[in-house]
Amino acid sequence: QVQLVESGGRLVQAGGSLRLSCVASERTLGSHDMGWFRQSPGKEREFVAGIRWNSGTTYSADSVKGRFFISRDNAKNTVYLQMNSLKPDDTAVYYCAARPGRPGILPRATHEYDLWGQGTQVTVSS
């Protein structure tokens, strides 16, 4: 079973930047759609950004567009989330997710992903 491990979450001031990493236990990025989600207390888990398995096409939620950027390094089996201009509303547990890649609609829903990491806490102070 493929395992995903996130890291990089910490306390950061508003306006600052942070980069999260997600490492897969085996070659995954070249055959899986990868995504980042986040969840705050009292709220449902929401989509943040995704990257396609084959083309590398990236897409993101409107709430983070222009601020957050997803990327990957297939050789390192690692996907990244670069977060800039952080706001207190970005405070959440951030999760890495994966699903076997296939053509179709860009996956944005939690139920479309099969594999999940344990999450990493990001806290943005005001």
Side-chain angles (χ1 to χ4, degrees), residues 13-72:
Q13 291 185 322
S17 297
L18 197 62
R19 189 180 75 163
L20 306 182
S21 298
C22 172
V23 180
S25 61
E26 59 186 64
R27 289 188 176 183
T28 302
L29 277 62
S31 60
H32 286 67
D33 293 321
M34 305 295 297
W36 284 97
F37 290 76
R38 67 185 182 185
Q39 186 168 24
S40 300
K43 295 185 177 182
E44 295 183 345
R45 190 168 299 184
E46 65 174 349
F47 171 79
V48 175
I51 185 167
R52 298 302 293 263
W53 67 277
N54 53 352
S55 66
T57 298
T58 61
Y59 55 104
S60 61
D62 290 342
S63 60
V64 305
K65 199 176 299 292
R67 299 189 298 123
F68 291 9
F69 303 92
I70 188 171
S71 62
R72 69 185 183 191

